Amino acid sequence: MTTETLKSLDDAPITPMELERGQSIYDLFRDLREQAPIARTHVGVTLALRNRHVALITSDATRQIETESKMMQGIFDGPIFEFTRLAMLFANGSTHIKRRMPVARTFAFKLMDAMRPKIREMAEQMIRERIGKGPIDFVGEIATQMPARIIAEILGIPREDVPVFQQWIQDTAASIGMIEPDDRPQIEKSLGEFMAYVTDLLESRRQNPQDDFLTEYVKATAEAGNLDDGEIRTQILGLILAGSDTTRGSMCMILSEMLQHPGQWADFVADIDGLKRTVVEEGMRFQPIVAAIPRVALRDIDIDGYRVPEGAVIAISIISAMRDPEIFADPDTFNIHRTDLQRWHYGFGAGAHRCVGEALARAEMEEMLSAIARLAPGTKLIGKPPVLAPGAIRQVGPMQVAFEV
Ligand code: HEM
């Protein structure tokens, strides 16, 4: 297509500020997708709506957003800014690679698979204690606890520190995304304390090496010799924070969908090991937690007849990509038996920044769902199904279940 025939962003539909009554975010994106392959938000972000647009994330025509996301919110210094400045997630090029490498090396699939028996044991214990106890707060008692306890275990957090460690996670997980101005003082305070704690933890492994992940990580960073103390510490904080709200929300939404589809739940109960992987994959397709992956255009980019100019922020909508009828048959139907799931699940992103905790997240979700199906196949959703709030990382609302045999 020649430049003359390219449409400008002004021609793309604008997303409404609010959903209409009874409309879901998935309905909204379906309508937008039918109008055009891209849309715009009120703050000028370009939304790429097609599954094939995920390729923009891996293309050299885009880069990750760095500290701009925080500066746009008026945050120019302090712990939240420091975290953003030093985390692998918000870095590009060689800086990203040097920060990611030691984590990727030590946080490998092999290590995470070795964690499985421990994860299974923890999941089973959490369920056993609650069978027949009536409705429980699944979000608070299970889905928040599990990722926090497992990462505490991986990092070798002393038992007596676990409660304060869990509190810090809850207080600071929002650092990754948009921050409500009123919440900022509390987040800054807790994040400052959390940073100091992780610094001490790393120092203790330098002094007293152990046979664990953190010691391996300290060794890997020392061998590489190209990260400063702030960067070394921040990658550990990044693992903790990036893995908490995401795993929690996903676990809830997958269980919720399964319990709303009793036939599919029965199929899962009958073949837990055979289906646990696809249950998680389909649940993450149907209700992705990371709504969109934003990037900056490094040059003019032509997307399906539209010209997105250099410097524009493009958010690849995972919500929309996961319901794209070009890829998924009957995309608005939850179906754990579908055969069109993609090899690389975009719920975990793509390219250089693809989730480094994927193996751990999968193990936690698969083992928790399996434990429920095995020990409490009569589990029921009590009250309304949970809903995800709008946002880059969508926060899960209340969810009650009763575990029954
Ligand atoms: C269901 C749970 C999870 C989901 C849906 C998820 C999703 C994602 C996505 C979409 C990205 C890419 C973001 C981008 O490209 O801008 C990402 C990156 C990342 N995730 Fe996850 N994640 C999950 C669990 C975890 C866990 C358990 C950990 C660690 C324990 C973790 C650590 C990270 C880190 C450190 C990055 C940054 C990687 C980089 O920049 O190179 N995540 N995740």
Side-chain angles (χ1 to χ4, degrees):
M1 193 174 288
T2 62
T3 312
E4 294 78 61
T5 56
L6 283 167
K7 292 186 197 153
S8 109
L9 289 183
D10 294 339
D11 299 323
I14 299 181
T15 55
M17 291 285 264
E18 278 176 15
L19 294 170
E20 284 165 27
R21 231 183 135 74
Q23 187 190 32
S24 77
I25 187 107
Y26 305 106
D27 298 336
L28 169 71
F29 277 104
R30 189 185 48 239
D31 291 349
L32 288 171
R33 238 181 1 244
E34 281 167 7
Q35 290 172 53
I38 65 167
R40 285 178 300 152
T41 71
H42 286 82
V43 291
V45 172
T46 302
L47 281 170
L49 301 173
R50 287 289 177 187
N51 189 283
R52 60 175 182 275
H53 296 161
V54 173
L56 286 167
I57 306 174
T58 54
S59 135
D60 61 6
T62 66
R63 70 160 170 85
Q64 176 62 296
I65 298 181
E66 300 182 354
T67 47
E68 304 100 307
S69 61
K70 293 297 179 286
M71 292 196 281
M72 270 163 43
Q73 299 175 61
I75 301 172
F76 300 96
D77 54 22
I80 297 172
F81 187 81
E82 279 306 280
F83 170 75
T84 311
R85 190 174 68 83
L86 298 174
M88 69 171 98
L89 179 56
F90 304 109
N92 284 293
S94 57
T95 307
H96 170 251
I97 292 172
K98 74 174 182 169
R99 290 177 185 169
R100 181 172 166 121
M101 199 63 85
V103 177
R105 249 180 71 188
T106 46
F107 211 70
F109 272 77
K110 216 169 64 201
L111 175 79
M112 291 309 127
D113 263 355
M115 283 293 295
R116 277 234 183 208
K118 201 159 260 176
I119 295 173
R120 186 170 309 150
E121 197 186 306
M122 191 180 285
E124 287 185 347
Q125 195 195 341
M126 290 174 111
I127 303 308
R128 256 194 213 104
E129 285 167 358
R130 292 170 175 83
I131 291 178
K133 298 276 164 67
I136 64 134
D137 162 16
F138 186 79
V139 182
E141 288 189 36
I142 307 278
T144 303
Q145 298 296 324
M146 172 132 190
R149 286 200 210 166
I150 295 290
I151 196 78
E153 179 84 33
I154 291 171
L155 297 177
I157 305 290
R159 198 167 284 267
E160 63 276 17
D161 293 350
V162 171
V164 65
F165 177 81
Q166 288 183 338
Q167 191 59 49
W168 278 324
I169 295 180
Q170 273 185 47
D171 287 353
T172 61
S175 311
I176 297 253
M178 295 291 277
I179 290 162
E180 290 293 327
D182 288 352
D183 296 343
R184 190 174 157 197
Q186 179 62 45
I187 298 177
E188 299 278 17
K189 181 177 170 290
S190 294
L191 192 58
E193 291 168 9
F194 206 177
M195 282 175 171
Y197 181 84
V198 172
T199 305
D200 290 348
L201 203 61
L202 287 163
E203 191 49 37
S204 81
R205 291 307 192 283
R206 283 190 194 103
Q207 302 292 332
N208 302 302
Q210 294 176 25
D211 182 19
D212 68 0
F213 158 71
L214 219 47
T215 305
E216 285 296 309
Y217 173 70
V218 163
K219 234 192 282 173
T221 54
E223 274 166 25
N226 55 3
L227 297 183
D228 65 31
D229 287 349
E231 286 175 300
I232 293 174
R233 170 186 69 205
T234 302
Q235 307 329 308
I236 299 300
L237 273 164
L239 282 179
I240 300 167
L241 302 187
S244 63
D245 288 356
T246 47
T247 313
R248 174 192 34 205
S250 269
M251 194 179 279
C252 292
M253 297 316 284
I254 300 168
L255 179 63
S256 163
E257 288 304 329
M258 288 300 289
L259 296 179
Q260 289 175 71
H261 294 87
Q264 297 188 48
W265 179 250
D267 293 346
F268 179 43
V269 169
D271 182 14
I272 296 173
D273 283 339
L275 288 172
K276 64 186 178 190
R277 191 176 167 89
T278 38
V279 164
V280 165
E281 298 240 317
E282 174 64 352
M284 285 183 62
R285 181 194 74 82
F286 202 68
Q287 298 271 14
I289 292 301
V290 176
I293 299 187
R295 294 291 189 262
V296 177
L298 287 171
R299 52 176 184 264
D300 291 353
I301 304 176
D302 298 342
I303 310 174
D304 289 333
Y306 286 83
R307 168 142 299 175
V308 180
E310 178 183 343
V313 175
I314 310 175
I316 293 82
S317 169
I318 299 300
I319 293 180
S320 182
M322 290 311 199
R323 303 269 183 131
D324 189 339
E326 283 179 4
I327 303 292
F328 303 107
D330 210 356
D332 295 318
T333 299
F334 177 80
N335 175 11
I336 59 169
H337 300 296
R338 65 170 58 249
T339 52
D340 47 15
L341 287 166
Q342 292 171 294
R343 179 153 182 265
W344 294 96
H345 200 301
Y346 296 152
F348 288 112
H353 289 278
R354 188 178 170 83
C355 183
V356 91
E358 175 178 349
L360 177 61
R362 282 181 185 273
E364 289 182 16
M365 295 187 291
E366 287 177 15
E367 293 309 327
M368 179 53 79
L369 289 154
S370 302
I372 298 169
R374 199 161 43 240
L375 301 174
T379 293
K380 303 264 175 312
L381 197 57
I382 308 295
K384 285 195 179 141
V387 283
L388 294 171
I393 297 177
R394 303 197 290 162
Q395 298 296 320
V396 65
M399 171 177 178
Q400 297 229 316
V401 299
F403 294 125
E404 301 292 342
V405 180

